Amino acid sequence: MLQYPHLEKALKHHFGYDQFRPGQRQIIEDALQNRDLMVVMPTGGGKSLCFQLPALLKPGLTVVVSPLIALMQDQVEALRTNNISATFLNSSLNTYKVRSREEAIMNGKVKLLYVAPERLVSDRFLPLLDVVKEKIGIANFAIDEAHCVSEWGHDFRPEYRQLILLRKRYPQVPTTALTATATDRVRSDIIQQLGLKQPSIHIASFNRQNLYYEVRSKSKQAYAELLEIVRENEGSGIIYCLTRKKVDELTFKLQKDKVAALPYHAGLSDEERSKNQTRFIRDDVRVMVATIAFGMGINKPDVRFVIHSDLPRNLESYYQESGRAGRDDEPSRCTLFFSFGDVKTIEWSINQKTDPQEQLIAKQQLRQVIDYAEGTDCRRTIQLSYFGERFPGNCGNCDNCLYPKPVQDWTIEAMKFLSCVARCKERYGMVYIIDVLRGAKNQKIALNKHDELSTYGIGKDRTVDEWRMLGRSLLHQGLLEQTPDGYSVLKLNPLSWEVMRKQRTVSIAVPVAQKINLEDGNTKAAEVEILMNRLRILRKQLADEQAVPPYVIFHDSTLKLMAQVQPKTLYEFGELSGVGSHKLAQYGDKFLAEIQAYRQEQNLQIPKNNPVYYPAVDNFPSDTESSTLELYQQGLTIEEIAQERNVRTSTIIKHLSDLIEKNQPVDLNQLVPLEHQKKIWQVLEVLGDISLTPIRENLGQSYTFDEIRLVRARWRREKRKTELS
């Protein structure tokens, strides 16, 4: 078997990365052996590199078939920023530019050519390709978004069917088909339609671990919740709507609430859509509100949230659309708002189809989406099974795993609630009853002398939302009634009295609060946060000068490393993941100067021979950490402590890691196997104090984020001791 020891060196030189992502190296090795390839890799998995790096290592021109102008321009800009000779030919160019680029191709000055399928198979272009084949050589045909070739795919495009011409005309040129989503049926169709010969098939896991998935009920407060998500999450976001009207309405609302948002749908002119998309990609606006017309091939890695304000039509589309979040592997959120009103809208649309078979397929797909939205299993288990991948559940990063809806006995609370309704003579609505239970001091309660009732203030231990949840559940279970006259006055019935007499128990599904901290690792020190914002501003200035998207300069993950490590020299800067040789030469001095200026302004000193930043730690545990420590010393497991304290296991891990860092009596050997400790320690010694994701990429899938976090805490403690000694 051929060995390619130089691949990592080429990867670092051209693209700035020290290691390949899972699956990339094997695909590239197969490509260098001129094999046909079928590559199925999720959005953000690094598909493009699988044909870009071989293109630089093989003689001849690599022709990339891409369906969208925006996608071509985006990838070419990113390649040029890495000093890689790439170009595109599409309808946005005038005749002079087309001829000029064709001449550069003929002279061997271009390694990667991006072209639309219609142009590629045209009578004018194929003769040109014949000459290139004879004069320069064609290294590979890379068919991006290859699911477009299949009528079973979610985005079928008839022009892709013509690409079989390439195999017939150039039988010796290898073809690489790439897609982010494909079922078994679609994969088989792609191989047949493109005429791939005994292709090497690579199917990466569809599991995007960095994405948090949640489904929320679309209540009257849905917009307020959506707005909260937008405001809570820094960075860019996409909000999908079913109709153009909804897009325009939501954009207007967001703009009114001072959110920089723009619309995108087929009702806008081509010019306006293109302009809005460019402004979004270049970070001039934060949020794009769009129909599903927006997004395929949008190579923006720092989308921090994707919200579906309406129900998607099928699971494959949902996976693809939500997958536009977190392409840089940083923590990101995917929220779906679900209501049966949307189901009716989609059903109406399905009924307009004239083909009964199409109707049947569409209804089946809609049922799968509803099952996903209503499902109580791990969201990943439901998603991945759709693509034929088995996942055991307990992903730790979806609402159903982090916030399972257990059935709890709320009989005592129900007795309090119903008793309060009785003592208030069944004359008031839910808001008033909750106020009495919680001991609210308002004029109406005082006037009615309900502050003298035995039930006044007996519900202070529960929040307003919890009491409201119980009230709704009592109504849904028929244990309480409500007048239909618009006043919604609560009324007791025979079952209510059975509860109050202890003749009937009350159990309700209790969802835990839907808040989640998506930050992976310890809470960022203010210092790192401020510096990263400054680096973002510098990146935006450089990007605007070059008329490119900011992420083309550096990804957010690389900026985060700069802010954490705070390199002093060009050598240290060049060691950061995401900094290649060309970017080091082009931007290194500018970013180093910004880091140095910030440190001087803050009067911060970098310890001698120790450029790595360590967060300051107080040795005294907080009250909540002390509570965890007490239960830990009683011999409870992490899961048992979490259950006892009614928090997530990840919160307990955070407490224990902080306790270890504060030199408190926590035995790391009980939490992490010794062999894993040693390996994690070795990697930390090399990489330093950086975020968990690149550390885990170095270690592999058998190491958990929890293990790394706990060992990193001990490592930090020992480093700090060394510094102080």
Side-chain angles (χ1 to χ4, degrees):
M1 187 174 174
L2 292 175
Q3 299 294 315
Y4 297 93
H6 64 292
L7 286 182
E8 275 77 11
K9 192 174 179 181
L11 177 70
K12 179 65 178 174
H13 173 73
H14 291 295
F15 297 97
Y17 299 113
D18 300 308
Q19 282 197 323
F20 290 103
R21 291 189 179 188
Q24 283 181 328
R25 198 182 208 281
Q26 184 59 54
I27 294 167
I28 290 165
E29 287 179 0
D30 284 352
L32 292 174
Q33 293 178 47
N34 294 322
R35 295 193 62 177
D36 280 354
L37 295 168
M38 172 78 246
V39 178
V40 184
M41 191 176 276
T43 303
K47 290 189 302 301
S48 300
L49 190 82
C50 295
F51 62 80
Q52 288 173 350
L53 189 58
L56 301 176
L57 301 176
K58 291 171 69 175
L61 176 73
T62 291
V63 180
V64 185
V65 180
S66 180
L68 297 173
I69 289 175
L71 175 58
M72 294 181 203
Q73 293 171 337
D74 207 25
Q75 293 213 1
V76 168
E77 280 174 354
L79 288 165
R80 285 178 175 169
T81 308
N82 279 313
N83 202 32
I84 294 168
S85 56
T87 193
F88 61 81
L89 293 173
N90 60 39
S91 57
S92 71
L93 304 174
N94 58 35
T95 305
Y96 171 76
K97 284 185 177 178
V98 169
R99 285 179 181 166
S100 172
R101 293 184 184 198
E102 286 178 351
E103 191 176 325
I105 293 164
M106 301 291 280
N107 291 330
K109 293 179 180 177
V110 175
K111 291 299 293 180
L112 286 125
L113 167 66
Y114 285 75
V115 63
E118 302 92 329
R119 179 180 290 263
L120 182 61
V121 298
S122 67
D123 291 340
R124 186 192 177 283
F125 192 79
L126 285 171
L128 174 77
L129 215 51
D130 290 342
V131 179
V132 171
K133 172 78 169 59
E134 293 305 314
K135 191 175 177 183
I136 308 297
I138 300 174
N140 186 30
F141 289 116
I143 316 298
D144 206 4
E145 308 290 350
H147 58 271
C148 294
V149 81
S150 172
E151 62 184 346
W152 300 104
H154 66 279
D155 197 22
F156 173 55
R157 300 193 175 204
E159 58 269 21
Y160 260 68
R161 292 279 195 175
Q162 302 171 50
L163 294 175
I164 189 69
L165 280 174
L166 299 177
R167 178 42 40 101
K168 293 175 180 175
R169 196 171 183 118
Y170 310 105
Q172 302 309 314
V173 177
T175 298
T176 301
L178 307 105
T179 179
T181 59
T183 59
D184 287 341
R185 190 175 205 172
V186 172
R187 286 197 292 271
S188 300
D189 209 16
I190 291 170
I191 292 168
Q192 182 186 342
Q193 295 299 330
L194 294 177
L196 302 186
K197 293 181 292 190
Q198 297 180 319
S200 176
I201 300 173
H202 297 267
I203 304 171
S205 171
F206 286 90
N207 184 10
R208 300 280 306 285
Q209 293 178 346
N210 61 312
L211 300 186
Y212 171 71
Y213 292 101
E214 66 173 350
V215 178
R216 297 191 181 196
S217 175
K218 194 191 288 187
S219 63
K220 290 180 181 177
Q221 288 78 39
Y223 175 72
E225 289 183 43
L226 182 149
L227 185 60
E228 184 184 20
I229 293 169
V230 171
R231 286 174 170 166
E232 276 184 353
N233 291 274
E234 288 188 1
S236 303
I238 302 170
I239 303 174
Y240 284 106
C241 305
L242 264 177
T243 65
R244 301 176 193 178
K245 183 183 176 187
K246 181 76 179 285
V247 168
D248 291 333
E249 287 174 353
L250 191 50
T251 305
F252 177 74
K253 274 186 174 181
L254 289 168
Q255 289 172 346
K256 199 174 174 186
D257 283 313
K258 296 186 169 45
V259 174
L262 286 174
Y264 190 103
H265 57 69
L268 302 174
S269 67
D270 289 348
E271 184 183 356
E272 194 171 0
R273 281 203 307 274
S274 176
K275 181 183 169 187
N276 289 357
Q277 180 170 298
T278 300
R279 291 190 65 195
F280 176 68
I281 286 173
R282 294 189 178 172
D283 287 351
D284 295 330
V285 294
R286 275 190 68 210
V287 177
M288 183 68 85
V289 186
T291 56
I292 56 169
F294 176 77
M296 189 178 81
I298 297 304
N299 190 29
K300 186 169 171 56
D302 57 348
V303 174
R304 292 278 75 88
F305 60 92
V306 171
I307 300 171
H308 281 73
S309 70
D310 300 317
L311 200 65
R313 295 170 187 273
N314 58 66
L315 265 185
E316 192 159 351
S317 295
Y318 178 68
Y319 179 86
Q320 186 88 342
E321 289 153 17
S322 61
R324 284 164 194 145
R327 291 174 63 126
D328 55 5
D329 230 18
E330 291 294 310
S332 305
R333 178 192 290 267
C334 305
T335 302
L336 165 62
F337 284 95
F338 172 64
S339 81
F340 280 97
D342 293 341
V343 174
K344 297 298 178 191
T345 303
I346 296 172
E347 282 177 341
W348 180 89
S349 175
I350 290 171
N351 289 332
Q352 305 313 301
K353 295 178 182 289
T354 53
D355 186 334
Q357 183 62 24
E358 280 186 27
Q359 274 195 15
L360 197 64
I361 292 169
K363 283 178 180 175
Q364 183 186 11
Q365 290 174 333
L366 176 59
R367 183 70 252 168
Q368 288 166 334
V369 174
I370 296 168
D371 289 345
Y372 172 79
E374 293 188 316
T376 55
D377 293 326
C378 168
R379 301 283 179 204
R380 279 174 171 75
T381 299
I382 302 171
Q383 279 186 24
L384 300 181
S385 66
Y386 179 81
F387 296 107
E389 182 177 342
R390 295 190 66 179
F391 186 77
N394 297 319
C395 72
N397 203 22
C398 77
D399 55 349
N400 283 344
C401 288
L402 287 176
Y403 310 112
K405 299 173 180 63
V407 175
Q408 293 183 8
D409 186 337
W410 275 49
T411 305
I412 301 298
E413 287 83 355
M415 289 169 67
K416 290 178 182 178
F417 191 100
L418 295 170
S419 179
C420 192
V421 173
R423 292 179 189 280
C424 290
K425 311 291 184 188
E426 301 176 67
R427 293 177 183 168
Y428 302 93
M430 195 179 296
V431 173
Y432 186 85
I433 296 299
I434 292 171
D435 280 348
V436 173
L437 284 166
R438 286 181 45 79
K441 293 177 170 58
N442 65 43
Q443 195 175 358
K444 190 174 180 182
I445 289 175
L447 195 65
N448 292 327
K449 296 188 177 181
H450 287 159
D451 52 355
E452 298 173 9
L453 294 175
S454 59
T455 52
Y456 179 76
I458 62 169
K460 286 181 180 177
D461 58 328
R462 296 288 183 186
T463 66
V464 172
D465 285 341
E466 285 175 321
W467 283 118
R468 189 183 293 122
M469 175 186 65
L470 172 62
R472 286 176 183 157
S473 186
L474 291 171
L475 289 167
H476 295 157
Q477 294 184 52
L479 305 177
L480 181 66
E481 292 177 7
Q482 202 171 35
T483 58
D485 56 3
Y487 293 99
S488 303
V489 172
L490 298 178
K491 296 287 184 183
L492 303 175
N493 61 24
L495 295 181
S496 310
W497 290 101
E498 284 185 20
V499 173
M500 286 189 279
R501 293 187 190 113
K502 298 185 180 179
Q503 295 170 342
R504 178 182 289 272
T505 59
V506 177
S507 295
I508 64 169
V510 184
V512 183
Q514 294 267 346
K515 293 247 181 183
I516 177 171
N517 176 16
L518 289 173
E519 187 57 50
D520 187 14
N522 290 1
T523 304
K524 287 183 185 175
E527 178 186 329
V528 174
E529 198 68 76
I530 295 166
L531 177 53
M532 188 160 172
N533 285 334
R534 286 183 60 152
L535 296 176
R536 277 198 189 102
I537 292 167
L538 172 60
R539 179 180 67 173
K540 182 77 169 87
Q541 289 169 352
L542 293 170
D544 288 346
E545 286 169 12
Q546 298 174 46
V548 297
Y551 60 78
V552 167
I553 308 293
F554 287 118
H555 281 198
D556 272 6
S557 51
T558 304
L559 289 191
K560 187 185 286 187
L561 283 176
M562 291 180 204
Q564 289 173 328
V565 176
Q566 297 177 19
K568 306 189 300 293
T569 66
L570 281 172
Y571 175 78
E572 290 171 0
F573 190 84
E575 289 294 292
L576 298 176
S577 178
V579 181
S581 304
H582 183 69
K583 288 188 178 181
L584 175 63
Q586 195 170 10
Y587 307 119
D589 288 332
K590 294 183 178 72
F591 280 88
L592 283 174
E594 188 67 28
I595 293 166
Q596 187 61 32
Y598 166 76
R599 294 196 66 83
Q600 286 174 352
E601 288 168 24
Q602 299 294 319
N603 200 25
L604 297 168
Q605 296 299 318
I606 301 176
K608 199 172 182 181
N609 299 323
N610 185 23
V612 181
Y613 166 73
Y614 304 104
V617 176
D618 183 347
N619 277 346
F620 297 101
S622 65
D623 289 343
T624 187
E625 288 166 357
S626 296
S627 300
T628 293
L629 181 60
E630 186 177 338
L631 293 169
Y632 170 78
Q633 289 176 325
Q634 291 172 18
L636 273 68
T637 65
I638 290 169
E639 290 74 20
E640 287 169 344
I641 298 170
Q643 192 172 1
E644 178 76 21
R645 300 204 56 199
N646 196 26
V647 296
R648 306 195 307 269
T649 55
S650 59
T651 302
I652 302 303
I653 292 288
K654 169 80 165 59
H655 291 169
L656 292 172
S657 64
D658 286 350
L659 287 162
I660 289 170
E661 200 168 343
K662 293 175 181 181
N663 208 22
Q664 298 299 312
V666 175
D667 186 359
L668 185 63
N669 295 334
Q670 289 183 359
L671 301 170
V672 183
L674 202 57
E675 285 185 14
H676 277 212
Q677 285 185 46
K678 288 178 181 176
K679 184 66 178 173
I680 294 167
W681 196 283
Q682 288 170 2
V683 172
L684 284 165
E685 287 292 310
V686 175
L687 296 183
D689 196 350
I690 60 175
S691 61
L692 299 179
T693 301
I695 296 172
R696 188 173 187 242
E697 284 176 357
N698 224 288
L699 289 161
Q701 298 293 315
S702 58
Y703 292 78
T704 68
F705 283 113
D706 289 345
E707 288 177 333
I708 300 166
R709 191 189 305 277
L710 291 162
V711 175
R712 185 178 67 176
R714 168 73 66 79
W715 181 82
R716 282 175 170 172
R717 183 72 193 165
E718 294 304 314
K719 284 290 176 186
R720 197 167 292 105
K721 278 184 188 174
T722 306
E723 291 169 26
L724 296 172
S725 61

